[in-house]
Amino acid sequence: MPQNKSVVNVNCDMRSYLFTSESVTMGHPDKVADHISDAVLDAMLAQDPFSRVACETLVKSDMVVIAGEITSKANVNIAEVARNTIKEIGYDDPEMGFHYDNCAVLVAVSRQSPDISQGVTEGQGLHKEMGAGDQGLMFGYACNETPELMPMPIHLAHKLTTRLERMRQTKKLPWLRPDGKSQVTVEYEDGKPTRIHTVLIAAHHSCGIKYRELREQIIEQVVKPVMPARLLDERTKYHVNATGCFELGGPKADCGLTGRKIIVDTYGGWGRHGGGCFSGKDPTKVDRTASYMCRYVAKNVVAARLADCCEIQVSYAIGVAKPLSVLVNTLGTAQISETKISRIVSDLFPLTPKGMIDHLNLRRPIFAQTSYGGHFGRNLPNFTWEKTDMVDKLRKAAGLK
C-alpha cells in the first residue's frame, strides 16, 4: 500500500504498475548512527531493564557525537560502546577515512525530563497506569506477497544488502567495504508482483578493482543468488555503481544521523509511516513499541487469512496508557468486516505500553540487531513481533474454521 491514499486507489485500478524500495548496509553512515544508538540502548538494558533511553548519534569523518536523555542505574562507558560498534561494523582500516580507534567520540547526555518520567512511571502523574512516553501515531503492515508477509520490493532490497554484507564479511569479495545500498523495482499486474524490472547496487569498494570485474561479480555473486530466478528475465535492468566508482564512502563521504532511514526500517514506502524513528529508544517509547505491536497484529491478521493485506494504525497521548484510536485497513481484502476485525484486535492484543512491552518481552538488550536489515520481515529468535502465534485465536474470534 503506497503512502498516499490517492496513489493506493490509482494503483488498485491499474492493470500494470512499478513500485520501488531501497535498503542500505550496516556500514551506511545513517545505519552506523542507528547501530551505535541501539548498542548504547542494549548496554543500558543489559544492566538495568527499566532504563529510559533516548539516544541520538551523528557520525562524520573522524567524529562521533552521541546525545540524548538517559535515566538508568547502569554504568556504561558510552564512548567504548560506540568504538566497539564501529569496529564490529567493519570500519577497521584507516584508509577508509573512518576508524573505530582514531575517531573522536563526544558524549552529551542528560537525564530524562521529570515531567515526562512521571507520565511513564506507574503511580505518578495524572494517570496511575504506565502511560505512553510521547504522543504520536504508529502504523504496522503485512501482506501475502512473500512468505515473510512483507511487500516484495523492500524484502528483495534487504536480501541484496544482507548478501553484500555477507560477501564482505566472509571476504569472498575482498575488495568490498562497509558502505552500500540497494534498490529494487518490481512490476505488478493486477496487484500481484510479476517480474523484477530493475536492480540497483551501490557497492563501496577499495581502489584497484576494475569496473567491469566489479559489475560482473556483483551481478553473479550478489544479485542472482538472492533474487527469485522466476522474476528475472532478459528485460531486467541492472545498475551497479552507476557513477563508475564508489571508493570514498561511509562517514568520510557522508554525514550519518540516527533515524534518517525510517522507510528502509519499515516497509519501503509501501504502507504509511507515523514519522517517528525506532533506534536508540527504550520500550516505553511508543514510536518503537507500538510500531512493533502493529506489525505483530497486522502479520497475524494476514497469517490468519482474515485479509490479504492489513495496515494497523494506533495513536497515543503522552502519559495516557490506552490508545486514542485503533484503525484496521485491509484495502477491501478482508474476509469479514474491518469493523469486526478492529474489535477483535482491540480485544485480543494488549495495546497499552505496559501490555505491549510484556507481551513482546521488550525489556531485553535485543535492539542492536534491528538497526540493519530492517526491523520487520526477519524471523529471528528475538524478534517477537514477527511471531504468528495469535492465528488460531483470531480465526476463532472471527468465527472462521
Side-chain angles (χ1 to χ4, degrees):
M1 173 190 328
Q3 288 179 293
N4 186 305
K5 195 163 185 179
S6 64
V7 177
V8 173
N9 294 335
V10 170
N11 282 349
C12 288
D13 293 337
M14 292 171 60
R15 191 183 70 84
S16 176
Y17 59 91
L18 303 176
F19 195 88
T20 303
S21 295
E22 70 163 346
S23 178
V24 299
T25 64
M26 66 173 68
H28 184 281
D30 292 331
K31 281 289 132 193
V32 173
D34 283 344
H35 202 158
I36 292 171
S37 292
D38 273 334
V40 171
L41 170 63
D42 279 356
M44 296 289 174
L45 291 175
Q47 296 183 33
D48 177 6
F50 292 89
S51 296
R52 303 275 175 80
V53 180
C55 181
E56 311 283 347
T57 304
L58 178 147
V59 295
K60 176 58 185 172
S61 297
D62 57 355
M63 180 176 290
V64 178
V65 180
I66 301 170
E69 298 78 45
I70 297 176
T71 300
S72 177
K73 296 177 182 178
N75 183 13
V76 172
N77 186 328
I78 293 176
E80 183 178 357
V81 170
R83 294 186 191 281
N84 289 340
T85 301
I86 294 165
K87 182 179 181 181
E88 290 170 3
I89 290 170
Y91 285 104
D92 53 7
D93 184 348
E95 288 188 6
M96 298 183 203
F98 185 64
H99 187 270
Y100 73 95
D101 201 32
N102 296 339
C103 62
V105 181
L106 306 180
V107 179
V109 171
S110 62
R111 292 178 63 83
Q112 184 183 50
S113 162
D115 296 341
I116 296 175
S117 178
Q118 70 177 7
V120 181
T121 303
E122 288 185 81
Q124 298 182 11
L126 292 178
H127 304 273
K128 298 310 178 185
E129 288 184 271
M130 174 184 170
D134 201 353
Q135 69 178 55
L137 52 141
M138 300 86 206
F139 290 92
Y141 182 77
C143 63
N144 59 10
E145 287 182 13
T146 62
E148 294 78 10
L149 303 185
M150 287 287 285
M152 184 171 285
I154 187 65
H155 175 65
L156 296 181
H158 283 324
K159 288 175 74 71
L160 287 172
T161 51
T162 299
R163 179 73 176 180
L164 262 181
E165 289 164 351
R166 185 178 301 116
M167 299 304 284
R168 171 180 64 88
Q169 292 166 338
T170 60
K171 301 189 184 302
K172 291 184 178 179
L173 295 179
W175 38 265
L176 281 174
R177 285 179 170 176
D179 201 352
K181 303 176 77 171
S182 72
Q183 189 169 285
V184 178
T185 301
V186 175
E187 185 171 327
Y188 286 76
E189 297 276 350
D190 297 323
K192 302 294 183 182
T194 57
R195 60 181 295 271
I196 297 172
H197 181 276
T198 303
V199 176
L200 184 153
I201 294 284
H204 187 198
H205 61 88
S206 59
C207 61
I209 181 75
K210 294 181 179 180
Y211 176 75
R212 180 173 295 181
E213 179 185 356
L214 181 147
R215 174 184 166 85
E216 180 181 337
Q217 290 195 38
I218 289 293
I219 292 175
E220 293 301 320
Q221 298 195 50
V222 175
V223 177
K224 290 186 176 179
V226 298
M227 293 293 99
R230 61 184 176 82
L231 298 180
L232 297 173
D233 58 32
E234 68 280 356
R235 295 180 296 145
T236 300
K237 300 175 184 177
Y238 301 94
H239 295 289
V240 179
N241 287 12
T243 69
C245 182
F246 188 8
E247 290 183 15
L248 186 62
K252 179 66 175 178
D254 189 14
C255 177
L257 189 65
T258 297
R260 214 156 50 180
K261 286 291 178 284
I262 60 176
I263 299 302
V264 171
D265 286 343
T266 52
Y267 309 101
W270 198 287
R272 283 167 281 201
H273 197 294
C277 77
F278 305 152
S279 290
K281 295 179 179 177
D282 74 82
T284 67
K285 310 307 193 276
V286 284
D287 276 339
R288 179 168 225 157
T289 296
S291 294
Y292 287 4
M293 178 57 79
C294 284
R295 163 62 179 172
Y296 176 65
V297 173
K299 186 174 183 180
N300 274 273
V301 167
V302 174
R305 300 191 302 280
L306 300 189
D308 293 337
C309 66
C310 181
E311 181 185 72
I312 308 291
Q313 188 211 44
V314 295
S315 65
Y316 292 87
I318 188 168
V320 180
K322 293 183 179 180
L324 306 182
S325 64
V326 180
L327 174 67
V328 175
N329 182 4
T330 67
L331 288 181
T333 67
Q335 300 299 308
I336 60 176
S337 74
E338 290 177 346
T339 301
K340 186 173 182 179
I341 296 177
S342 294
R343 187 169 63 252
I344 292 170
V345 165
S346 297
D347 290 342
L348 291 183
F349 293 89
L351 297 176
T352 64
K354 185 178 188 302
M356 294 186 292
I357 291 169
D358 291 345
H359 191 89
L360 297 178
N361 193 16
L362 296 181
R363 292 196 187 278
R364 296 176 295 147
I366 61 172
F367 297 106
Q369 197 173 18
T370 70
S371 62
Y372 55 89
H375 292 247
F376 307 127
R378 301 163 65 193
N379 295 317
L380 301 176
N382 287 326
F383 284 39
T384 51
W385 51 93
E386 291 297 319
K387 292 182 178 180
T388 53
D389 53 359
M390 296 292 287
V391 166
D392 291 342
K393 291 181 179 179
L394 280 166
R395 290 189 64 80
K396 181 178 180 181
L400 301 174
K401 294 181 180 180

